[in-house]
Amino acid sequence: MRIAAADIGTNSCRLLIAEVIEGRLVSILKKITSTRLGEGLLESGWLHPKAIKRTVDCLLNFRDIMHGYQVSAYRVVATSAVREAVNREDFLAVAEEETGLSIEVIGGEEEASLAWEGVVRSLNFSELPLVADLGAGSTEFIYAGQSPVIKSVKVGAVKATEGDWSREQIRAALEEVLALAPRFRKNPLVLTGGTPTTLVAIKKGLAEYDPDLVHGQKLTYQEVEDLYQMLEGMPLNLRRRLPGLQPERADIVVKGVLIVLVIMDGLGKDEIIVSESDLLEGIIWRLAGASPGV
């Protein structure tokens, strides 16, 4: 049974078509399109008409792809930008009318739970991880062991870029989560999202993105710091040509990497594990009925 999952994010829309065969998730197609739906949202509180059009056009493409692959079930979710926007209902009405797709706005806790699902089913751990899903508009933290923790924080790469947030401002916004550092001293820290996967791609100099070369890779604090210094000191036009970095992400990557550094430093972690598997895979598992959820 082919299943599709789509995520309408602040910076990009993503589509995954997959099957669950004998307890394994087999990816058939994965597509990401930068639509920057959350452009200007921090200042205005509104989704702008041009950003809405870019996103609806992307969803029309996703719909046609799903039809072409004859998917049996699908779920389209909208996250940070849509749930925060003053005109979210207007966006949903337009998007659903033009595409015929059913779109569900999910809260930060469910977003975190789905990301956890995607991570723990794709990587092996001797100790349950703390997972941070770093997006463009928010970052979700989840630990689903004893005394679970699920937190969604309004810190993301686009938001920090548009607000020109400093390291201190990012740390202040993450203060509640970073205060948990003593509790998670022994737990591995796993990061998902465009920023951490991009860091691995840049480190490896990937001219063409290969998820198999990114998933499960480790980055040390020093490696992240070195990449931050390199990117921060590089003019935007050169960043756009850097192997491993999508040109559409070049303007927001510096603040995204700064968020990674603040998280690592605040939680006292010398290294992170990067997961290519995240919310989309979590949706597939649940639609396949192969997951009890978190």
Side-chain angles (χ1 to χ4, degrees), residues 168-275:
E168 291 70 28
Q169 287 173 300
I170 294 169
R171 179 181 290 275
L174 292 167
E175 183 178 7
E176 185 180 357
V177 173
L178 301 183
L180 299 173
R183 180 178 165 190
F184 293 107
R185 189 171 290 112
K186 295 182 179 179
N187 301 85
L189 175 62
V190 178
L191 262 68
T192 70
T195 297
T197 55
T198 294
L199 282 172
V200 176
I202 295 172
K203 174 189 170 183
K204 290 179 172 285
L206 300 181
E208 185 172 332
Y209 188 82
D210 185 342
D212 292 335
L213 296 177
V214 172
H215 185 59
Q217 294 297 304
K218 295 180 180 180
L219 291 170
T220 66
Y221 184 90
Q222 190 59 57
E223 285 175 327
V224 178
E225 177 68 40
D226 289 346
L227 287 167
Y228 172 73
Q229 295 297 336
M230 179 188 75
L231 291 165
E232 199 269 339
M234 187 180 292
L236 181 59
N237 65 318
L238 295 183
R239 260 186 262 148
R240 293 189 193 280
R241 303 204 300 268
L242 187 66
L245 176 57
Q246 292 175 309
E248 302 87 355
R249 189 176 289 278
D251 61 330
I252 63 170
V253 70
V254 173
K255 293 299 184 182
V257 179
L258 185 58
I259 295 170
V260 175
L261 285 170
V262 171
I263 291 172
M264 293 181 74
D265 182 55
L267 292 175
K269 298 297 182 182
D270 292 328
E271 72 173 21
I272 57 172
I273 302 169
V274 175
S275 175

Side-chain angles (χ1 to χ4, degrees), residues 26-40:
V26 180
S27 176
I28 297 170
L29 175 143
K30 202 165 192 178
K31 183 177 176 66
I32 180 169
T33 303
S34 178
T35 61
R36 197 63 65 90
L37 179 60
E39 183 177 15

Side-chain angles (χ1 to χ4, degrees), residues 64-217:
D64 293 344
I65 292 171
M66 288 191 283
H67 285 171
Y69 278 84
Q70 299 179 320
V71 301
S72 301
Y74 78 90
R75 187 182 184 194
V76 180
V77 302
T79 51
S80 175
V82 178
R83 67 174 173 250
E84 292 180 22
V86 173
N87 58 335
R88 63 182 258 178
E89 297 304 325
D90 294 334
F91 165 77
L92 292 171
V94 169
E96 292 186 345
E97 181 179 354
E98 293 198 22
T99 66
L101 297 171
S102 175
I103 301 171
E104 181 183 356
V105 182
I106 61 172
E109 288 195 0
E110 184 172 6
E111 186 177 355
S113 178
L114 289 166
W116 168 273
E117 196 82 50
V119 168
V120 297
R121 283 186 168 272
S122 67
L123 293 168
N124 296 317
F125 301 98
S126 57
E127 188 87 30
L128 281 176
L130 174 64
V131 174
D133 182 13
L134 200 173
S138 67
T139 301
E140 280 65 47
F141 295 84
I142 180 167
Y143 172 76
Q146 284 190 323
S147 302
V149 171
I150 302 181
K151 294 186 182 296
S152 180
V153 186
K154 293 179 180 180
V155 174
V158 167
K159 197 168 284 184
T161 300
E162 291 190 350
D164 193 22
W165 291 358
S166 66
R167 189 182 296 248
E168 291 70 28
Q169 287 173 300
I170 294 169
R171 179 181 290 275
L174 292 167
E175 183 178 7
E176 185 180 357
V177 173
L178 301 183
L180 299 173
R183 180 178 165 190
F184 293 107
R185 189 171 290 112
K186 295 182 179 179
N187 301 85
L189 175 62
V190 178
L191 262 68
T192 70
T195 297
T197 55
T198 294
L199 282 172
V200 176
I202 295 172
K203 174 189 170 183
K204 290 179 172 285
L206 300 181
E208 185 172 332
Y209 188 82
D210 185 342
D212 292 335
L213 296 177
V214 172
H215 185 59
Q217 294 297 304

